[in-house]
Amino acid sequence: RRSGTQSVIASRVLRTWGESESGLNERLDDVIAELDTLGNPTLAFLASGWEGIKVRLTAKAPDLAGCTALLDEWDARVRSEVGEIVFGVDTDTMESVVLDLLRARGWSLGAAESVTGGLVGARLTSVSGASDTFRGSVVSYASEVKFDVLGVPEGPVVSAAAALAMAQGARRVLGSDVAVALTGVAGPAEQDGMPVGTLFVGLVWPEGELTHRFRLPGSRDEMRQYSVISALDLVRRTLGG
């Protein structure tokens, strides 16, 4: 007003998981170069640890409709380059997105956790209304709990086979449509011949089942938190197509 002009400034934050900041920057190199030339909107990265990397678009226009049009245009441009790693917008979290996806399908979710010790359940239940979708989590930290409660065959418990058996057991015990299981090594020493940072995720749902192996960085606590969002992202990508 003091300058004699009228304008609106608005931002949109795209939430991503599955790429490093340098890798994301490289994939968006052409978009960033074009925006640097135009000057409006602007793009900035905000690394948020185990919440992923945020890509913030900020636009300026005479009115809100103009800002929205600019944000829509460049939102689409960013997604055309990195679409598969964008899991939400603004205040979305990975857990809220996964719960919404399952709710839309009418499916319930159960979990079996070893390396994460209940962190998956804690993050899911932090979302208001999670009880209509999330059945619960079996924290099978001790090997005997995996064997006796979840029906995992005796043997190495940090493996793809163990992760899948944990998921199958959680689905049976909790009576859920979908179940995700996590077993891995957070340190300080290796286990079952697997190095620190190894995570196996098992996933079962009405239409199939799969396992995936991750190698995750960071300290013990960081690895466990990265395990939670990586496993939930696997649920999102698999069930969301």
Side-chain angles (χ1 to χ4, degrees):
R1 288 193 299 268
R2 288 196 299 269
S3 67
T5 62
Q6 179 178 333
S7 60
V8 172
I9 297 174
S11 294
R12 181 178 302 170
V13 177
L14 304 183
R15 309 288 300 272
T16 75
W17 180 256
E19 183 65 89
S20 65
E21 185 173 354
S22 60
L24 189 57
N25 189 90
E26 183 176 346
R27 293 176 65 175
L28 290 173
D29 189 58
D30 290 342
V31 172
I32 293 169
E34 190 171 348
L35 286 175
D36 285 345
T37 300
L38 294 173
N40 184 37
T42 60
L43 183 150
F45 296 121
L46 177 61
S48 302
W50 50 74
E51 294 293 336
I53 298 174
K54 301 172 183 176
V55 180
R56 186 182 64 208
L57 292 165
T58 304
K60 182 178 181 180
D63 52 37
L64 183 58
C67 279
T68 300
L70 277 172
L71 293 173
D72 287 346
E73 176 186 354
W74 288 94
D75 179 326
R77 288 287 304 278
V78 170
R79 289 175 190 263
S80 71
E81 301 295 333
V82 299
E84 76 280 3
I85 68 171
V86 176
F87 67 82
V89 177
D90 292 334
T91 59
D92 289 339
T93 62
M94 185 67 77
E95 46 269 32
S96 72
V97 168
V98 167
L99 289 170
D100 285 344
L101 173 63
L102 291 167
R103 190 176 291 117
R105 287 184 172 232
W107 286 350
S108 58
L109 174 66
E113 305 181 57
S114 181
V115 65
T116 47
L119 291 175
V120 172
R123 285 187 58 161
L124 288 167
T125 54
S126 70
V127 180
S128 178
S131 59
D132 67 357
T133 303
F134 182 55
R135 296 278 296 169
S137 180
V138 177
V139 182
S140 53
Y141 203 64
S143 297
E144 292 74 19
V145 178
K146 297 179 182 68
F147 304 148
D148 298 340
V149 176
L150 297 176
V152 176
E154 293 203 23
V157 294
V158 183
S159 66
L164 184 59
M166 287 170 63
Q168 292 167 338
R171 188 182 186 208
R172 182 186 68 254
V173 169
L174 297 170
S176 61
D177 299 296
V178 179
V180 62
L182 302 84
T183 180
V185 187
E190 68 174 34
Q191 182 180 352
D192 291 337
M194 296 294 172
V196 173
T198 300
L199 171 71
F200 288 99
V201 177
L203 177 62
V204 294
W205 68 102
E207 299 162 358
E209 57 187 36
L210 62 78
T211 61
H212 190 81
R213 178 179 178 175
F214 296 89
R215 285 297 307 277
L216 301 173
S219 65
R220 177 180 173 84
D221 187 50
E222 288 171 332
M223 184 272 173
R224 295 169 75 230
Q225 293 286 358
Y226 291 148
S227 294
V228 176
I229 192 168
S230 296
L232 291 177
D233 190 45
L234 183 65
V235 177
R236 175 188 71 90
R237 292 183 186 228
T238 302
L239 302 186

